[in-house]
Amino acid sequence: MIETTLVQIVKAIVIFAVVLQLVPVVLLVERKLLGRFQSRYGPNRVGPRGILQPLADVLKLISKEQSTPETAVPWMMAIAPAISVATAVATLAVIPFGPFDAWGGNFGLYGIDVPIGLLYFFAFGSLSFYAMLLGGWASGSKYSFLGSMRSAAQLISYEVSLGLSLLGVAMTAGSLSLVDIVDSQGDMWYVVPQFVGFLIFMLAGFAESARPPFDLPEAEAELVEGYNTEFGGMRFGSFFMAEYIEVIIVSGVATACFLGGWHGPGPIALSPLWVLLKMTLLVLLFIWVRATVPRLRYDQLMSLGWKILLPLATLNVLGTAIVLVAFD
C-alpha cells in the first residue's frame, strides 16, 4: 500500500511532535508515582499540582552552560546525544497504531510499514549504543569510559536474547513486518503461545533501555554518573530523553508483537486508543519495577543475560519451530 510523499512527510513531523510531548508526560507521571510508592510528595510546586515541573526542568537545562573537559573531544561530545535521540525517534516510525484504512483515506496509522520491521527495530536500537560509547570515550574521563564499556557489555548480553524472543513471534506470524504481525493476531494475541518470549522480551527490554534494576551504565554509587558524567545542560537532558523514548519504544513493540496491537472491542477507528492503553500499562510497569526492585550487581546482570535468558530464548525458538512444523 503506497503512500504519497506528502503523507510521509506529515507523518514524520507528527511522530517527532508527539514524542516531544510524550516524554515530559511520562517523566511527570513517573515522578508522581515514585513519590506515592515511596510515601512522599512528588512534584507539587510548579503549576497546578506540579504539572509544569517538566517544563521547568527543560528551561533549567537549556539555561545551563555547556562545559567540556580539557581532555575531551568537543565535536564528538556534541554529536553523541544527537545520535541517541535521532535513533530513538527513528525507531518509533515502525510502531503501528492502526491498519491502513482505519480512519479512511490513503494512509496508515504508522510511520512506515517495511517488510523488515523487526530488523529495523534492532538496527536502530543497536545504533543507540554508539551514542553511549562515543559520549563516554569522548569525555576524556575514566568513569565515563567505564560507563560506556558497561553499556557495550550490557547491550551484547541482552540484544541476542531480545532478538530470539521476537523470533518466535516472527515465525508464528510468517512476517517481519509489525503491521502484518499485529494483523495476524485477530484470533489470539501472541502473549498466549509466546508467553515465555514475552517475559524474556520485557526483561531484555529493561536492560536495553538501561532502566532499573539494570541501570548499570549509570550506576552513580560506582561511576559518579556513568557515561554522561561530563555532560551538562541539554546534552545531559538529551540522553535521558532518549532513555524515556526507549521505554516507549519497548512498550510499543511489546504491544504490537505480543498484546494484539490495535485489536480490541469496538470499531476499527478506536485502534490508536487500544494501542495507547496497552503501551501506557507497560510504561507503568517500568515505573513500578523501578520503585520496587533494587539494582543488580554487575556479575548478576551478566549471569542473568548469558546463563538464563539466552538458553530460555533459544529453547523457546526451538519449541515454537517444532510446534509450527508439527501442526502445519
Side-chain angles (χ1 to χ4, degrees):
M1 297 177 182
I2 301 175
E3 298 174 338
T4 63
T5 304
L6 178 61
V7 169
Q8 293 178 350
I9 293 174
V10 171
K11 281 185 176 183
I13 295 173
V14 169
I15 289 172
F16 194 77
V18 169
V19 168
L20 290 179
Q21 303 302 319
L22 281 180
V23 171
V25 172
V26 173
L27 179 59
L28 177 65
V29 171
E30 179 177 53
R31 294 180 65 179
K32 284 283 190 180
L33 288 179
L34 287 177
R36 292 294 181 264
F37 280 127
Q38 297 164 358
S39 298
R40 59 178 176 81
Y41 292 111
N44 64 348
R45 298 294 181 185
V46 186
R49 297 185 179 272
I51 61 173
L52 296 181
Q53 185 63 49
L55 178 61
D57 293 338
V58 170
L59 293 176
K60 178 187 71 173
L61 290 173
I62 291 175
S63 63
K64 284 198 170 187
E65 180 184 1
Q66 300 288 350
S67 61
T68 305
E70 292 183 358
T71 54
V73 184
W75 68 272
M76 287 188 178
M77 284 189 68
I79 66 172
I83 293 173
S84 183
V85 173
T87 55
V89 173
T91 310
L92 280 171
V94 295
I95 297 178
F97 288 85
F100 188 79
D101 55 350
W103 287 356
N106 295 321
F107 63 92
L109 299 181
Y110 43 78
I112 54 175
D113 176 22
V114 289
I116 54 169
L118 291 181
L119 297 182
Y120 180 100
F121 162 65
F122 289 122
F124 279 96
S126 300
L127 284 175
S128 64
F129 144 76
Y130 289 100
M132 299 181 186
L133 188 64
L134 190 64
W137 181 81
S139 298
S141 164
K142 62 182 180 181
Y143 293 109
S144 300
F145 186 64
L146 284 172
S148 61
M149 288 296 98
R150 280 190 171 192
S151 13
Q154 186 165 314
L155 179 82
I156 294 170
S157 301
Y158 287 87
E159 191 80 10
V160 180
S161 300
L162 193 73
L164 289 175
S165 67
L166 293 178
L167 185 56
V169 169
M171 292 165 61
T172 306
S175 174
L176 292 174
S177 165
L178 287 173
V179 174
D180 292 343
I181 290 173
V182 174
D183 198 40
S184 65
Q185 297 180 66
D187 298 326
M188 180 174 59
W189 296 357
Y190 288 155
V191 69
V192 178
Q194 291 291 320
F195 184 70
V196 174
F198 174 69
L199 293 180
I200 295 170
F201 178 82
M202 291 306 298
L203 281 171
F206 275 93
E208 179 82 5
S209 55
R211 292 278 299 181
F214 304 122
D215 56 335
L216 273 300
E218 307 164 9
E220 68 279 354
E222 307 158 35
L223 299 175
V224 187
E225 185 54 40
Y227 63 89
N228 52 22
T229 298
E230 303 296 341
F231 287 84
M234 273 310 296
R235 291 182 183 178
F236 176 84
S238 295
F239 277 118
F240 282 92
M241 178 181 176
E243 180 180 304
Y244 281 97
I245 295 175
E246 190 70 32
V247 170
I248 297 171
I249 290 169
V250 171
S251 301
V253 174
T255 297
C257 292
F258 295 100
L259 301 181
W262 63 69
H263 292 292
I268 196 66
L270 295 178
S271 300
L273 175 64
W274 297 118
V275 175
L276 289 174
L277 178 61
K278 296 169 187 177
M279 288 176 61
T280 300
L281 292 176
L282 291 177
V283 170
L284 293 177
L285 176 64
F286 273 88
I287 299 172
W288 185 16
V289 170
R290 175 178 181 176
T292 54
V293 182
R295 179 185 295 136
L296 275 69
R297 293 198 318 265
Y298 202 67
D299 60 310
Q300 294 173 327
L301 180 80
M302 294 293 105
S303 297
L304 178 63
W306 290 111
K307 296 180 180 178
I308 299 177
L309 293 188
L310 183 58
L312 277 178
T314 305
L315 289 174
N316 181 63
V317 171
L318 290 174
T320 302
I322 293 170
V323 170
L324 290 176
V325 171
F327 290 95
D328 188 8

